[in-house]
Amino acid sequence: MVREKIRVFTRTLEWKCVESRIDSKRLYYGRFILSPLMKGQADTIGIAMRRVLLGEIEGTCITHVKFEKIPHEYSTIVGIKESVHEILMNLKEIVLRSNLYGTRDASIYFKGPGHVTAQDIILPPSVEIVDNTQHIANVTEPINLCIELQIEKNRGYCIKTLKNFQDGSFPIDTVFMPVRNVNHSIHSYVNGNEKQEILFLEIWTNGSLTPKEALYEASRNLIDLFIPFLHAEEDNFNFENNQHKITLPLFTFHGILAKTKLRKKKKEIALKSIFIDQLELPPRIYNCLKGSNIHTLLELLNNSQEDLLKMEHFRVEDVKYILDILEIEKHFS
């Protein structure tokens, strides 16, 4: 039994991409394998990864559209072939790539006649269009088409509220999910006296990120979801007789930082494995950091005070709060 346990725990899992292709600007495909896994582990990982890939990955979409003097979405505009509803549906199909946090404004100012496509959208610096040829409208007369847009990064679905928008502003039913589909399959084989498995993951994305990027982000999000269990209080683990308790070692920053003293040679290895989720930051500060793609303590320490203050909604008090928690002010100079 001891010999078997040692063999299991020293087993090294490896993953690789076995197929990758771009079918179109808005359809990327990747196939990955993870092995060797013990019997049952492939299904556990495959189900979890599929749910996270489809439900937890953030995407960027147009969420609101505003026209000038349009009473309802089924109106028609003189000099434009499409109805307002058709234009809204075309805008809904536009795929965006961004690192933005919160919402941003964009616009379309087009002088007809001509063919309006995604390349005619005036975007903020943090946003780019995956397919510039995407159709929006056909302007058949020499008129000006002016549309104000609102862009947002989020996850899952967003269903528009049923209201009568008198100001010409219309919300759009939005699908933020950049991952179009995920399949997982399992290949079982015998290695000596042990049954092992290979997990195959197939990922299709809309082009706003590659399947490899989606797999990386899903893995990070899955880790983030389980981190709170590392902070479990001992009161949650009482036996029935209340006489014996299981005390789990808490994974706290102060203990880790005091023990390692941030030695230069070990700093990067240690801090890459520590996520900002473990800092127990206030939600607003946490969201600002995550919105700026700061996920680990190493990434946080690589930013100066000036860098942090350049983030939207970040204040001087927030920097002081972080310094007080870390007690390593010299690394922010």
Side-chain angles (χ1 to χ4, degrees), residues 3-51:
R3 187 179 304 136
E4 182 178 349
K5 286 183 178 180
I6 292 175
R7 179 167 53 83
V8 170
F9 281 110
T10 56
R11 181 167 47 94
T12 301
L13 295 178
E14 295 182 353
W15 77 275
K16 64 179 179 179
C17 179
V18 294
E19 185 179 356
S20 178
R21 67 173 186 263
I22 300 176
D23 294 330
S24 68
K25 290 183 178 180
R26 288 181 282 165
L27 184 59
Y28 285 42
Y29 171 80
R31 190 165 184 250
F32 308 88
I33 63 171
L34 177 67
S35 66
L37 295 164
M38 297 177 63
K39 184 179 179 181
Q41 289 182 338
D43 209 28
T44 300
I45 298 172
I47 292 173
M49 288 300 295
R50 184 178 189 276
R51 293 183 67 89

Side-chain angles (χ1 to χ4, degrees), residues 17-18 59 130 159 202 245 257 283 329:
C17 179
V18 294
V130 171
I159 306 300
E202 292 181 289
K245 296 181 179 180
L257 296 179
E329 183 172 353

Side-chain angles (χ1 to χ4, degrees), residues 8 10 23 27 84 86 124 129 185 208 216 226 308 311 314 331:
V8 170
T10 56
D23 294 330
L27 184 59
V84 172
E86 290 173 323
I129 296 172
S185 58
S208 62
Y216 176 82
F226 283 103
L308 295 177
M311 299 179 190
F314 216 82
H331 291 276

